[in-house]
């Protein structure tokens, strides 16, 4: 019995000496000191001895146990210290290395364009305003000289707010997602603060979704109302914006058009940058434009009925208005060549981080 205990101790100490890792240490502990380990097994044999022999052997067994436990603790200290030293050797830190820069985002390219556009108009005294995106059709159509059922309304493929197929109505008619920023015209005039130099930039909604049309897009609407405002001022403001936003070489043109809420009405064109307004390139016609011009958007002199709707006397006051798409304008300048305009709002970082 005693020889067996001494033998066990010698063996255990030899094993602990060879232990190199924490895993090996744990395995050795289970083997010798565990509840079902070798020492526990040996202790069981004590029960069979007579009283004297049991006392004698018990003393030795306790010594053996203490010796093995001490060896375990020493080994543990050695292995832990070794592992730490090894980690330290591997994980040295060079404080002179450049740090890891955190990824910093930026404003969406449409937001950047909106900021720039409102900045340009601010220079000539146009004040940014906001009007509802969800509005009564009175402001989107009726007050703009488009009475109920007028076919001109069809051009603005409008979303109506409804409840189970019933179009919701309120104080001033049906409730719509405004299809253009022109709903801000009469709302601005109604404030009664003259003269008006408004730049209203906001979201618009139309029932359209294709590679060239978004159901949600942005427009910027200019409105100037004062005594003696003429087409000259409209042309001057348009020209100023185009030269600031697109560059000093771009020319502008007013082309007769029709809107119910302006009279006369125009489409505003800018000269094409690719063919420099000639419509021709070296070996043929310019593919980007039509005859040297690109269409930017609509404009005109505010219709007398619109001024009246806002409470002004059209014999006393005149004004002009324009409305252009933000996405279209910014894409015309940057030459962003995407074959699907929906790419702008897909939130794909591979696209967005380029701007
Ligand atoms: N609201 C018109 C559109 O969406 C543009 C426009 C604005 C035309 C102001 C004339 C005056 O097409």
């Amino acid at each position: 019995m005693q020889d067996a205990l001494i033998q066990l101790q010698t063996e255990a100490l030899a094993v602990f000496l060879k232990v190199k890792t924490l895993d090996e240490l744990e395995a050795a502990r289970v083997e010798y000191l565990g509840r079902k380990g070798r020492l526990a097994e040996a202790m069981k044999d004590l029960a069979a001895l007579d009283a004297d022999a049991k006392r004698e052997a018990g003393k030795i067994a306790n010594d053996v146990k203490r010796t093995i436990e001490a060896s375990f603790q020493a080994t543990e200290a050695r292995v832990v210290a070794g592992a730490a030293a090894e980690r330290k050797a591997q994980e040295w830190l060079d404080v002179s290395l450049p740090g890891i820069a955190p990824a910093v985002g930026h404003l969406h390219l449409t937001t950047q364009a909106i900021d720039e556009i409102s900045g340009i108009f601010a220079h000539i005294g146009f004040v940014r305003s906001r009007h509802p995106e969800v509005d009564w059709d009175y402001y989107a159509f009726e007050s703009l000289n488009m009475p109920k059922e007028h076919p001109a309304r069809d051009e603005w493929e409008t979303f109506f707010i409804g409840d189970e197929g019933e179009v919701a109505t309120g104080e001033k008619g049906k409730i719509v997602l405004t299809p253009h920023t022109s709903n801000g015209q009469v709302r601005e005039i109604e404030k009664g603060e003259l003269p008006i130099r408004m730049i209203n930039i906001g979201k618009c909604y139309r029932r359209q979704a294709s590679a060239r049309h978004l159901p949600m897009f942005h427009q910027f609407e200019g409105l100037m109302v004062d005594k003696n405002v003429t087409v000259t001022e409209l042309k001057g403001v348009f020209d100023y914006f185009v030269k600031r936003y697109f560059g000093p070489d771009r020319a502008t043109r007013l082309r007769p058009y029709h809107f119910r809420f302006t009279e006369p009405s125009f489409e505003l064109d800018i000269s094409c940058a690719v063919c420099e307004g000639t419509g021709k390139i070296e070996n043929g016609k310019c593919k980007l434009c039509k005859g040297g011009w690109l269409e930017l958007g609509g404009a005109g002199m505010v219709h007398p009925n619109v001024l009246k709707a806002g409470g002004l006397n059209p014999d006393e006051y005149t004004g002009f208005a324009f409305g252009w798409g933000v996405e279209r304008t910014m894409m015309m300048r940057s030459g962003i060549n995407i074959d699907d305009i929906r790419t702008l709002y897909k939130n794909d970082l591979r696209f967005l981080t380029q701007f």
Side-chain angles (χ1 to χ4, degrees), residues 140 144 146 155-156 179-183 185 204 206 217 219-223 257-262 264-267 297-302 320-325:
L144 296 176
M146 285 184 274
E155 284 168 43
W156 288 269
H180 54 179
T181 43
S182 299
N183 69 322
Q185 288 189 19
C204 310
R206 293 186 196 177
F217 60 103
Q219 283 190 338
F220 55 117
E221 182 97 6
L223 176 69
Y257 198 71
H258 176 76
F259 291 106
R260 289 280 303 175
F261 38 97
T262 46
S265 301
F266 310 98
E267 290 259 85
M301 300 307 292
V302 179
F320 67 77
F322 58 81
W324 306 324

Side-chain angles (χ1 to χ4, degrees), residues 62 142 164 220-221 247 316:
N62 273 335
E142 244 154 279
E164 294 180 5
F220 55 117
E221 182 97 6
E316 199 183 343

Side-chain angles (χ1 to χ4, degrees), residues 158-326:
T158 310
F159 285 112
F160 289 85
I161 298 287
D163 188 16
E164 294 180 5
E166 286 285 305
V167 175
T169 47
E171 194 185 318
K172 293 187 175 174
K174 292 176 179 162
I175 301 172
V176 300
L177 294 181
T178 196
H180 54 179
T181 43
S182 299
N183 69 322
Q185 288 189 19
V186 168
R187 283 184 168 278
E188 191 71 23
I189 298 169
E190 278 178 345
K191 288 183 188 168
E193 294 161 14
L194 289 147
I196 293 167
R197 267 178 285 176
M198 163 191 96
I199 187 83
N200 169 31
I201 313 184
K203 291 189 176 76
C204 310
Y205 304 83
R206 293 186 196 177
R207 288 185 54 148
Q208 50 182 24
S210 71
R212 296 186 56 220
H213 296 96
L214 293 159
M216 183 287 301
F217 60 103
H218 298 77
Q219 283 190 338
F220 55 117
E221 182 97 6
L223 176 69
M224 178 166 176
V225 178
D226 202 351
K227 289 179 172 144
N228 305 316
V229 176
T230 69
V231 177
T232 309
E233 279 78 33
L234 167 60
K235 169 87 175 160
V237 167
F238 179 43
D239 220 60
Y240 171 81
F241 171 74
V242 166
K243 287 188 163 51
R244 283 284 306 271
Y245 191 77
F246 290 95
D249 301 336
R250 306 297 279 273
T252 60
R253 168 174 97 166
L254 272 58
R255 180 162 44 80
Y257 198 71
H258 176 76
F259 291 106
R260 289 280 303 175
F261 38 97
T262 46
E263 181 58 36
S265 301
F266 310 98
E267 290 259 85
L268 302 180
D269 295 340
I270 62 173
S271 61
C272 174
V274 171
C275 62
E276 291 171 337
T278 61
K280 292 187 208 86
I281 50 170
E282 231 173 89
N283 36 21
K285 273 190 184 166
C286 179
K287 287 195 191 73
L288 186 68
C289 64
K290 284 191 208 125
W293 297 92
L294 295 162
E295 177 196 320
L296 192 72
M301 300 307 292
V302 179
H303 195 286
N305 289 350
V306 175
L307 292 169
K308 277 191 226 157
L312 290 181
N313 175 358
D315 295 329
E316 199 183 343
Y317 285 98
T318 52
F320 67 77
F322 58 81
W324 306 324
V326 173

